[in-house]
Amino acid sequence: MKKILGVIVLAFLVFLGFKGYGYYHDTYVGETYYALVPEETPEKTPTVNDSGEVVEGLSSYIYELTFVNKKGQVTKRAVEISGENPQPLTPKAFVTAEISKKRIVKGPNYITKEEIPEKALKEINL
């Protein structure tokens, strides 16, 4: 009986470990994507938290960017630049970001056109 219970507990722990690894990988492990900042800067708006309440003293620029990875795969993501005095992204500039399946993990950061892989650059310039 003890052996059966031990096997069940071990199987449960392996299952939890597998699910935990999957969650971590999908949420925090990103792939490099590239985008071109649109020419038009979005309107500066008050920052809103996850509950929908306005955060006093903070404002945001919310961009809808089309990101492309080195394989040419495209994903659209909202990018929020927020703070007490946020600076909008430079129009027509190239940016890079680390994007996981669920979120932008790191970025956006400015890069030069020469740093973008050829296949991604073709998709960006369409």
Side-chain angles (χ1 to χ4, degrees):
M1 185 68 174
K2 284 186 177 182
K3 287 184 181 182
I4 293 174
L5 186 59
V7 169
I8 291 172
V9 169
L10 181 62
F12 182 70
L13 290 175
V14 168
F15 175 76
L16 283 180
F18 178 73
K19 285 296 192 182
Y21 172 79
Y23 173 80
Y24 176 82
H25 191 269
D26 290 350
T27 306
Y28 300 109
V29 176
E31 183 179 352
T32 303
Y33 279 78
Y34 309 91
L36 177 63
V37 178
E39 205 168 311
E40 191 173 309
T41 301
E43 184 179 329
K44 189 176 185 179
T45 59
T47 301
V48 178
N49 65 17
D50 291 338
S51 302
E53 301 167 351
V54 174
V55 179
E56 201 64 37
L58 299 181
S59 54
S60 301
Y61 291 98
I62 301 174
Y63 290 86
E64 290 293 328
L65 296 180
T66 302
F67 287 96
V68 182
N69 67 6
K70 65 182 177 183
K71 301 172 198 164
Q73 297 170 325
V74 178
T75 184
K76 291 186 182 212
R77 297 291 171 106
V79 176
E80 182 175 2
I81 309 296
S82 60
E84 289 181 8
N85 186 24
Q87 299 301 311
L89 295 174
T90 305
K92 303 298 270 179
F94 290 100
V95 293
T96 184
E98 297 290 321
I99 300 177
S100 72
K101 290 181 181 178
K102 296 184 179 183
R103 65 178 63 159
I104 295 176
V105 179
K106 181 177 155 187
N109 299 309
Y110 293 108
I111 59 170
T112 63
K113 186 177 184 178
E114 292 74 30
E115 294 177 84
I116 301 173
E118 190 175 318
K119 200 167 190 178
L121 191 58
K122 285 180 184 177
E123 287 291 327
I124 290 172
N125 286 329
L126 289 178

